[in-house]
Amino acid sequence: MFRSNNLTARIFERQILTPRPGTSINLFRHFYENVCPSHTVHDIDCPDLSFRKFTDDGQFLIGFSRNHQDLVVYRPSWLNYSCKGECPYSLDLPPKARRFDSFFRHLFTISLASANEFICKDFFLYVDPYRFGLFATSTAQVNDNAASADGAIHGVPSIEKITFHLVRLDDGVVLDEKAFYNDFVNLAHSTGAFLYDDLLCIVSLRYQTIHILQIRESGNLVEVRRIGPYCQEDDELFLQSHAQVSPGSSFLPGIKQRLLSFIFRKTWNEEADQSMRVQHLKKKFYFHFQDYVDLIIWKAQFLDRHHLLIKFGSVDGGVSRNTDQGLSFFAVYNMETTEVVTFYQNSSEEMYSFFERFYDFFNSVSRNTLHAQYISSHTNNSHALNQLLNIKSKSGGFSQFVKKMMLTIPYTCQSHSPSPYFDLSLFRYDDKLISAIDRHRHSTEHPIKFISLRQPNVVKFKIKPGAEGGGPDGGRAKKVSSFLFHPYLPLVLSIQQTYMQPTVVNLHFKR
């Protein structure tokens, strides 16, 4: 660690000191203690758009038109203005510096949605190696009372059409599309899809199918596997060829059959006494058999290129806005062998132990994205671990605490900002007001402080959303804020939305 807090001294130390192997990136991130946003342009003159996020490599800022029809992409360009004669640092910035286009260069605007479709403003995944963006559009009407179609789950609503668009972000060319008809995919906060390197899984809730697609460098979305009713490529052919042998019989879906087989074997092996096994099976397996049969897939994520973590629960929980309440189960599924490797209830202490010790394995961050590999978590950061243990010690009961922690998995893909200002070994902040997680927050009238961890009494910088002097309604109107941090530049957009009032966008940067 640097011995001095002075930037010049730190640069000199960097030249003469060699960090321990494997620590150079973390060490150099300490420079961000000296390079923080120091100036705010309040209510910046910017296009009336819904801004989504910066890509993890910092090359693009993604936005959507207010009518949710168009995709608008910018490239951060930093300050783009000049002063005539002397331009003292202490003076206010010139008027041009208050414009959005002084910081961002417009790349393109393209129409993604047709007349009866809308872009899902909460859905965006970035394919880092190829600089592709994955977006989703859907028809507006959701049919909650959709008639049961062949293979569809009763009680799951239907959307007429959901389309995933693969866009090359350098020039806005739509490379490929994948459409789902009369189906339901949870698009909110990219919940229904997970990206791992070039592999994409999309969960069809209505037809209980996990679609595995590969994103080729050529820009093609190629479906390589479907997991649900069938697990092996020839399962459907085999069953159809034997249909005449067992006419009128119904089979459980392939993934459900694998799950029940695993639970049966696990329950069987729990009892060593041969004479007691049947009783044990009756109590632990057959008594709950129908409950297991009724489980549906809620979410899925990659753990690596061969294993999926799948979350199961009730039909009602799967389609509600809050899909993470109540009883649920987790299964690890091997796509190559089509076997369930392990199975846990959401109150399992063993599952929590894995969560506490190996959380970064659940994150499954692409190894091609350098900055995203340094997101703070309790398995790679002692300060984040202390926060978790503090919450654990204050929890009313361990069982409820475990269930609360299990809400975060399966992990929502690309939902954490890799900005160094969220590094808990550098800064501390009120995580009730702001955090690395991509979510709206209730707005506050007071600035959000980022305090140096090494100098607990030093506020390194502040971020205040909303108008410079506060809004006309004061604290009465309900306000929500979102924060878009650039992954490595001292550049932040704070966006405050107030009911029946114009959106206020502030830009915070290092002057």
Side-chain angles (χ1 to χ4, degrees), residues 1 11 15 65 85 111 246 288 324 348 403 438-439 485-486:
M1 182 178 288
I11 294 174
Q15 303 303 314
S65 60
S111 179
S246 54
H288 299 285
D324 293 314
S348 166
K403 290 181 180 179
D438 176 23
R439 290 290 189 275
F485 279 68
H486 193 277

Side-chain angles (χ1 to χ4, degrees), residues 1 18-24 27:
M1 182 178 288
T18 302
R20 295 191 303 273
T23 66
S24 58
L27 182 65

Side-chain angles (χ1 to χ4, degrees), residues 192-239:
F194 194 95
L195 182 67
Y196 182 80
D197 290 335
D198 61 340
L199 294 179
L200 173 70
C201 78
I202 298 174
V203 177
S204 161
L205 283 175
R206 183 165 163 78
Y207 291 97
Q208 285 295 283
T209 302
I210 302 174
H211 300 263
I212 307 296
L213 292 84
Q214 185 176 33
I215 301 175
R216 302 284 175 82
E217 188 175 2
S218 59
N220 298 112
L221 290 169
V222 180
E223 187 162 36
V224 295
R225 192 186 303 270
R226 289 187 185 184
I227 303 166
Y230 311 107
C231 295
Q232 298 279 14
E233 294 180 359
D234 59 349
D235 280 356
E236 184 175 12
L237 178 63
F238 176 83
L239 291 175

Side-chain angles (χ1 to χ4, degrees), residues 339-507:
E339 294 178 342
V340 171
V341 178
T342 189
F343 182 73
Y344 293 106
Q345 191 172 320
N346 64 334
S347 58
S348 166
E349 295 183 16
E350 186 176 359
M351 182 70 178
Y352 172 77
S353 176
F354 292 140
F355 168 86
E356 185 175 300
R357 295 163 57 198
F358 307 111
Y359 182 72
D360 286 350
F361 286 93
F362 293 103
N363 282 358
S364 299
V365 174
S366 170
R367 300 305 166 211
N368 297 307
T369 307
L370 176 63
H371 304 285
Q373 294 182 37
Y374 298 96
I375 296 173
S376 293
S377 76
H378 55 261
T379 56
N380 64 31
N381 188 291
S382 60
H383 305 284
L385 177 60
N386 289 335
Q387 284 188 0
L388 177 68
L389 297 179
N390 186 47
I391 297 172
K392 183 178 178 180
S393 64
K394 294 180 179 178
S395 62
F398 185 65
S399 178
Q400 291 302 315
F401 168 74
V402 169
K403 290 181 180 179
K404 181 180 178 181
M405 292 298 104
M406 293 301 100
L407 298 182
T408 61
I409 55 176
Y411 179 71
T412 301
C413 189
Q414 298 183 7
S415 62
H416 285 65
S417 169
S419 169
Y421 301 112
F422 291 120
D423 189 332
L424 293 175
S425 62
L426 300 179
F427 303 97
R428 61 183 177 90
Y429 45 84
D430 188 344
D431 59 3
K432 296 183 180 65
L433 302 177
I434 193 169
S435 76
I437 301 175
D438 176 23
R439 290 290 189 275
H440 287 88
R441 300 282 175 150
H442 290 295
S443 194
T444 175
E445 294 298 322
H446 304 287
I448 301 170
K449 299 177 182 179
F450 284 75
I451 301 170
S452 170
L453 198 71
R454 296 209 304 161
Q455 301 170 285
N457 297 321
V458 177
V459 177
K460 286 296 185 178
F461 67 98
K462 302 177 183 179
I463 288 181
K464 184 184 183 300
E468 186 170 6
D473 292 338
R476 295 191 299 273
K478 183 179 180 181
K479 303 174 183 179
V480 294
S481 297
S482 56
F483 304 91
L484 309 184
F485 279 68
H486 193 277
Y488 52 85
L489 294 176
L491 178 67
V492 184
L493 285 174
S494 64
I495 304 163
Q496 186 182 79
Q497 300 175 32
T498 308
Y499 181 67
M500 297 296 290
Q501 291 185 20
T503 299
V504 177
V505 180
N506 294 344
L507 194 144

